[in-house]
Amino acid sequence: GKYKKISGRLVSLRNGKKNDNKKRKKESSSGNESDGVSLHLQTTIKYHLATDMAQNWKVTECDEVELGLKRIFSSALGSSNKIDDGTDCAPSSEWGVIENARGESGIVDGEIVTSTGIYSLRLYPPSKAGLKLSKKKTDKVKQNSVQSILSRSHDKAKNVPLSPSSPFFQKLGVSSLNGKPLVGMSSKLRQCQKFVEIVGKLVDNSCFIQSFKQISTSGAVQAPPTIRVIDMGCGRGYLTFSLHSYLCNNFLMPENEQKANCKPGLTVQTQGIDRRPKLIKEINGITDDLGGEFSSLRFIEGDIGNTGNTLFGDDSDSDSIAKSTLDILIALHACDTATDDSIWFAIQNDADIIVTAPCCHHQLRQQIDRHFTKNPDHPLADILCHAIYRERSTETTTDA
């Protein structure tokens, strides 16, 4: 029941009660509040082996911040419900006020360093602890330390595989010019970052990349190596653009280095496939606008597993090509049996890396529904009689 940690902040809260409209108008007309907004000292008190407590205290004057701090610590000295000025104290834990054998609360003193001064609190010995907060002047050393904290010089940018301010993110409507995700696109940005991180490790650890690095250092002559990616059911291409940009930035050798080393550089070719012609036209327009590394990224219209003119289908001599290409097939959340079609397409074309995540499970769900209808005495009847459990069963089986 003893204090473990106390944190707080000043917040502006709006009164959301409909019945208080008239009261808010009176207060706003008198100048006390504006549109029902008031300042509060919001505190969270964490106890040892007890439930956390949170409470807000209304603040109208700066002195009431100190009064709120007094309320927080009043229960530490064994106060019941009121302190000296008759105001309510902070709530105690469900164990009540816990004291040790000598009647001490376990807290000796406290100090709050701000940009304007230092607030000191003395709680020991209890006979001299009057719960008085005295404001001291801040010396130059502590004032400089406070200013350094306010400057946030310790903040570090997150180490992410893709820059959030990348032009393709802006074109796709994921982030703004300064890299901030647009409304509703934060999860999409995190998904793109995590996706390229996973696939990037698969590519970097592949035998193709390892052998390419060895050949590059030895100086042996070889055919121009290529990483080829096909994204089945690419949709608007968020992940397709992300992976293509990541591969180009991490594995593509600049032309000046190719000329200096007299070696063919690794190239990246990416292709997205989707059934919607209007969407394909839109995202191809984005690749044309971006240019540069995205000139080798194209989107075509077609059905999964039944599309001609793919990157993998252009091999005239598969034995010679296989040593100079790394083929990657992606099929994420392809509906119904489209994931199975994508896997079969990858197997037929000897893809080196297959990245899939099943989505729908219509086929299995229909089979289980029919089987349960014909066999009501099935050993799992008590489970399969519920539609939600049949759905989860088909989902687990599909993912497995």
Side-chain angles (χ1 to χ4, degrees), residues 227-288:
I227 298 179
R228 303 187 302 186
V229 182
I230 292 182
D231 188 358
M232 295 287 194
C234 60
R236 199 158 188 270
Y238 296 107
L239 301 180
T240 318
F241 276 93
S242 300
L243 181 59
H244 182 82
S245 177
Y246 175 82
L247 294 176
C248 289
N249 293 332
N250 288 270
F251 299 102
L252 199 63
M253 182 184 295
E255 293 185 3
N256 56 352
E257 293 185 14
Q258 297 181 33
K259 294 179 180 179
N261 299 327
C262 298
K263 297 178 183 179
L266 189 149
T267 60
V268 178
Q269 298 178 7
T270 306
Q271 187 178 69
I273 301 176
D274 201 273
R275 300 171 62 178
R276 293 164 284 185
K278 184 178 180 180
L279 182 61
I280 293 298
K281 182 179 179 181
E282 177 191 348
I283 51 184
N284 271 330
I286 295 177
T287 59
D288 294 337

Side-chain angles (χ1 to χ4, degrees), residues 22-316:
K22 296 182 179 179
K23 183 178 180 181
R24 288 204 302 269
K25 289 181 180 179
K26 291 181 180 179
E27 290 176 343
S28 60
S29 61
S30 62
N32 293 332
E33 293 186 1
S34 177
D35 297 331
V37 178
S38 57
L39 190 66
H40 287 74
L41 176 63
Q42 185 181 82
T43 58
T44 301
I45 306 173
K46 295 182 178 293
Y47 298 93
H48 287 280
L49 302 177
T51 308
D52 297 349
M53 301 291 290
Q55 189 163 341
N56 297 333
W57 284 287
K58 188 175 178 180
V59 175
T60 57
E61 298 178 1
C62 190
D63 292 341
E64 294 193 19
V65 176
E66 297 183 5
L67 183 60
L69 295 174
K70 289 181 180 180
R71 294 188 182 112
I72 293 174
F73 284 98
S74 61
S75 60
L77 289 181
S79 300
S80 55
N81 296 317
K82 303 287 182 179
I83 54 178
D84 296 340
D85 58 0
T87 56
D88 295 333
C89 64
S92 58
S93 69
E94 60 261 38
W95 302 112
V97 179
I98 305 298
E99 297 181 350
N100 56 24
R102 294 184 297 173
E104 298 171 351
S105 65
I107 299 177
V108 177
D109 55 25
E111 186 178 74
I112 301 175
V113 181
T114 69
S115 57
T116 58
I118 301 175
Y119 295 86
S120 297
L121 176 68
R122 186 179 181 185
L123 297 177
Y124 184 85
S127 58
K128 295 183 179 180
L131 288 176
K132 294 181 180 180
L133 281 165
S134 59
K135 186 176 178 181
K136 300 179 181 179
K137 292 184 178 180
T138 310
D139 56 26
K140 292 184 178 180
V141 177
K142 290 191 175 183
Q143 192 171 11
N144 293 335
S145 65
V146 171
Q147 295 298 331
S148 64
I149 294 176
L150 295 177
S151 67
R152 300 182 184 273
S153 59
H154 60 287
D155 288 357
K156 295 181 180 179
K158 291 184 178 179
N159 185 18
V160 292
L162 296 172
S163 172
S165 60
S166 298
F168 76 90
F169 276 141
Q170 300 176 38
K171 288 284 187 180
L172 292 172
V174 177
S175 63
S176 59
L177 184 64
N178 58 4
K180 297 291 184 180
L182 301 182
V183 178
M185 301 303 291
S186 298
S187 59
K188 178 60 67 177
L189 181 60
R190 290 194 299 269
Q191 181 191 24
C192 293
Q193 300 284 14
K194 189 62 179 179
F195 174 73
V196 298
E197 180 183 339
I198 294 173
V199 180
K201 290 181 180 179
L202 295 175
V203 174
D204 198 40
N205 295 330
S206 64
C207 297
F208 172 83
I209 294 297
Q210 300 300 326
S211 61
F212 172 70
K213 292 179 179 179
Q214 293 177 1
I215 294 175
S216 299
T217 54
S218 63
V221 180
Q222 65 167 7
T226 303
I227 298 179
R228 303 187 302 186
V229 182
I230 292 182
D231 188 358
M232 295 287 194
C234 60
R236 199 158 188 270
Y238 296 107
L239 301 180
T240 318
F241 276 93
S242 300
L243 181 59
H244 182 82
S245 177
Y246 175 82
L247 294 176
C248 289
N249 293 332
N250 288 270
F251 299 102
L252 199 63
M253 182 184 295
E255 293 185 3
N256 56 352
E257 293 185 14
Q258 297 181 33
K259 294 179 180 179
N261 299 327
C262 298
K263 297 178 183 179
L266 189 149
T267 60
V268 178
Q269 298 178 7
T270 306
Q271 187 178 69
I273 301 176
D274 201 273
R275 300 171 62 178
R276 293 164 284 185
K278 184 178 180 180
L279 182 61
I280 293 298
K281 182 179 179 181
E282 177 191 348
I283 51 184
N284 271 330
I286 295 177
T287 59
D288 294 337
D289 293 340
L290 291 170
E293 64 187 34
F294 293 98
S295 59
S296 58
L297 168 62
R298 301 305 298 172
F299 296 89
I300 63 175
E301 179 187 353
D303 294 328
I304 293 179
N306 190 26
T307 303
N309 195 29
T310 64
L311 287 177
F312 297 171
D314 297 336
D315 300 345
S316 57

